[in-house]
Amino acid sequence: DAGVIQSPRHEVTEMGQEVTLRCKPISGHDYLFWYRQTMMRGLELLIYFNNNVPIDDSGMPEDRFSAKMPNASFSTLKIQPSEPRDSAVYFCASSFGLEPGEQYFGPGTRLTVT
Amino acid sequence: QKEVEQDPGPLSVPEGAIVSLNCTYSNSAFQYFMWYRQYSRKGPELLMYTYSSGNKEDGRFTAQVDKSSKYISLFIRDSQPSDSATYLCAMMIMIKAAGNKLTFGGGTRVLVKP
């Protein structure tokens, strides 16, 4: 299996622009997680899905952030409009069921908003 | 105050030394305790996890959990330069409604010098 796939790997955009991050989870996994990692705040859970349905979006910082999972093999995280404080590495992770330690992380998307 | 606290380091040790890492936490409901390793510009990868209090050993790695003190540790014996990475602790409450939502520490950067 190719693991969790994220694209793009790097994104540089100007403040006010829309940014869309993409994730393909491991085939057969029924949970998908979006995280954000910064030096100041560490790794934070933004939102997670179970069987394509959002379960907990309490970590989404504000209305500028939205996430969708239209099918079992694809999810997007969108920021509109983007701001410099959104600069971070965004990770997608997936897992099968509730087994502890079974979350597999993608390589991340490094976002820079200027 | 964060739910999970971890010294950011960096922790620099000579090759062959024992690396000692730890996290403290405030939520007594945490049941599962994980350690992830994250190389620079990569996603976190699971090293090992333990349930409740006790020790667990896997090769050169030993994880300890002391729930009474809300304190967990990871020891790396015979450290190698390839162990240089950031180590993140993570914790989970096993409730179906909560999925396997992880709460991460901020990570400790470790440098093993040849």
Side-chain angles (χ1 to χ4, degrees):
Chain A
D1 197 314
V4 176
I5 298 172
Q6 291 187 247
S7 64
R9 293 295 310 277
H10 302 274
E11 177 79 33
V12 180
T13 191
E14 292 183 347
M15 182 174 64
Q17 296 298 306
E18 177 180 296
V19 175
T20 299
L21 311 181
R22 297 173 177 80
C23 175
K24 177 179 169 55
I26 293 173
S27 177
H29 281 188
D30 56 350
Y31 283 88
L32 184 139
F33 305 80
W34 281 101
Y35 291 89
R36 178 173 67 176
Q37 188 175 40
T38 61
M39 290 292 291
M40 289 295 293
R41 301 177 67 91
L43 195 60
E44 302 174 285
L45 178 66
L46 299 178
I47 184 172
Y48 77 93
F49 297 81
N50 178 219
N51 291 323
N52 313 337
V53 176
I55 302 299
D56 184 349
D57 65 354
S58 60
M60 296 285 261
E62 47 198 279
D63 292 345
R64 297 184 297 105
F65 286 69
S66 63
K68 294 182 180 179
M69 192 164 185
N71 57 62
S73 59
F74 183 67
S75 177
T76 60
L77 178 68
K78 185 176 293 186
I79 308 172
Q80 166 64 18
S82 58
E83 297 183 3
R85 59 192 169 121
D86 301 330
S87 297
V89 181
Y90 291 81
F91 289 102
C92 176
S94 71
S95 69
F96 175 69
L98 300 176
E99 287 301 309
E102 286 299 316
Q103 283 192 31
Y104 293 87
F105 284 76
T109 294
R110 183 172 296 272
L111 174 65
T112 303
V113 183
T114 61
Chain B
Q1 183 183 4
K2 293 181 180 179
E3 273 192 293
V4 180
E5 297 280 357
Q6 188 175 5
D7 189 324
L11 180 62
S12 183
V13 300
E15 183 176 356
I18 294 175
V19 176
S20 176
L21 304 166
N22 57 76
C23 290
T24 58
Y25 62 95
S26 57
N27 189 346
S28 58
F30 285 131
Q31 299 167 289
Y32 290 88
F33 305 89
M34 295 90 172
W35 285 97
Y36 283 80
R37 177 175 61 196
Q38 185 177 20
Y39 290 116
S40 180
R41 298 185 180 269
K42 301 287 187 182
E45 56 179 341
L46 180 70
L47 278 175
M48 56 196 306
Y49 74 89
T50 54
Y51 173 71
S52 194
S53 287
N55 294 359
K56 185 174 183 179
E57 190 172 315
D58 184 1
R60 296 185 297 113
F61 298 89
T62 299
Q64 291 183 350
V65 175
D66 181 350
K67 290 195 74 177
S68 63
S69 301
K70 298 190 181 67
Y71 186 90
I72 71 170
S73 302
L74 177 71
F75 300 96
I76 308 173
R77 293 184 299 279
D78 188 24
S79 58
Q80 305 295 312
S82 58
D83 295 325
S84 297
T86 296
Y87 291 80
L88 301 120
C89 63
M91 306 181 185
M92 187 178 85
I93 302 169
M94 188 69 159
I95 302 174
K96 183 172 182 177
N100 53 359
K101 182 176 172 180
L102 298 176
T103 302
F104 282 87
T108 300
R109 186 167 160 241
V110 173
L111 178 61
V112 181
K113 296 183 176 179

